[in-house]
Amino acid sequence: EIVLTQSPGTLSLSPGDGATLSCRASQSVTRSQLAWYQQKPGQTPRLLFWDGSNRGTGIPDRFSGSGSGTDFTLTISRLEPEDFAVYFCHQYGASPFTFGPGTKVDIK
Amino acid sequence: QVQLVESGGGLVKPGGSLRLSCAASGLTFSDFYMTWIRRAPGKELQWISYIDPSGTSANYADSVKGRFTISRDNAKNSLYLQLSSLTDEDTGVYYCARGHLGLEVWGQGTTVFVSS
């Protein structure tokens, strides 16, 4: 089973700051089959990226996804108030598919 | 607007069974793979199972294989998860989602609580 580790656990930032979130896999993720999601309290997860860097429907271009192999990154260029949320990664390159524990981006 | 609504959760004794449903609207249901995911209290999300659009092929996590069965009724735009031989480790919120490689739409979840 591929274990996903996300860092940092919490990121305390201000609106306008940039954010870099990491997702590291215990084994190489086949064909970069990794997704990123955003989840806010009381809401369902929102797909941000699939296959590492393919932007989901309606996702603003201040969000970018990158990486391959065992290291993946979600970057938010300038945080908007609505971006404060939990972000988690999900690999579907090898069964069983697995999820990371999440990174919380909160307001400093 | 695509909407997924889960139902069927509740309190069940260890060893018991339960059937979860996921009603889909706003999409051509028969075109899509569908997935069940759960979150146990205090733990990260866990992928449970997915099923292909026709309902003929499915994949399961080892922890539920032989105990849970995923199925669908495309005529009713519905996805199901039959849970059996439940243990307290099966307690959690169960979500259905559209897709299986990148989950584009999620339901709000239904809670299963296994306790004597």
Side-chain angles (χ1 to χ4, degrees), chain A residues 5-22:
Chain A
T5 303
Q6 291 188 243
S7 60
T10 301
L11 204 47
S12 296
L13 297 167
S14 301
D17 287 346
T20 302
L21 286 66
S22 171

Side-chain angles (χ1 to χ4, degrees), chain B:
Chain B
Q1 182 183 357
V2 178
Q3 193 171 15
L4 301 174
V5 179
E6 302 92 338
S7 61
L11 173 63
V12 59
K13 288 182 166 50
S17 299
L18 213 53
R19 189 197 199 202
L20 307 183
S21 299
C22 170
S25 59
L27 74 165
T28 305
F29 182 71
S30 58
D31 283 351
F32 295 98
Y33 279 78
M34 296 294 295
T35 294
W36 285 100
I37 309 103
R38 72 182 177 192
R39 189 190 290 271
K43 295 192 176 180
E44 57 208 52
L45 290 163
Q46 181 188 15
W47 168 78
I48 296 297
S49 177
Y50 69 72
I51 189 167
D52 76 337
S54 67
T56 58
S57 177
N59 193 11
Y60 296 90
D62 286 347
S63 59
V64 307
K65 202 174 292 185
R67 299 190 302 121
F68 291 9
T69 302
I70 192 171
S71 62
R72 64 192 298 161
D73 185 336
N74 287 342
K76 294 183 177 180
N77 289 344
S78 292
L79 175 73
Y80 306 102
L81 188 67
Q82 179 71 43
L83 290 64
S84 62
S85 303
L86 287 163
T87 73
D88 56 0
E89 293 189 345
D90 297 314
T91 291
V93 180
Y94 286 71
Y95 302 92
C96 64
R98 187 186 84 180
H100 70 308
L101 306 178
L103 304 171
E104 196 164 17
V105 183
W106 296 55
Q108 292 284 354
T110 187
T111 300
V112 173
F113 187 54
V114 183
S115 175
S116 54

Side-chain angles (χ1 to χ4, degrees), chain A residues 8 23 31 62 88-89 94 96 103:
Chain A
C23 176
R31 294 188 298 277
R62 64 179 180 274
F88 56 93
C89 53
T103 290

Side-chain angles (χ1 to χ4, degrees), chain A residues 1 3 16-17 21 30 55 62 69 80 87 89 92 94 96:
Chain A
E1 172 176 318
V3 177
D17 287 346
L21 286 66
T30 305
R55 192 173 281 111
R62 64 179 180 274
E80 298 288 341
Y87 295 84
C89 53
Y92 44 88

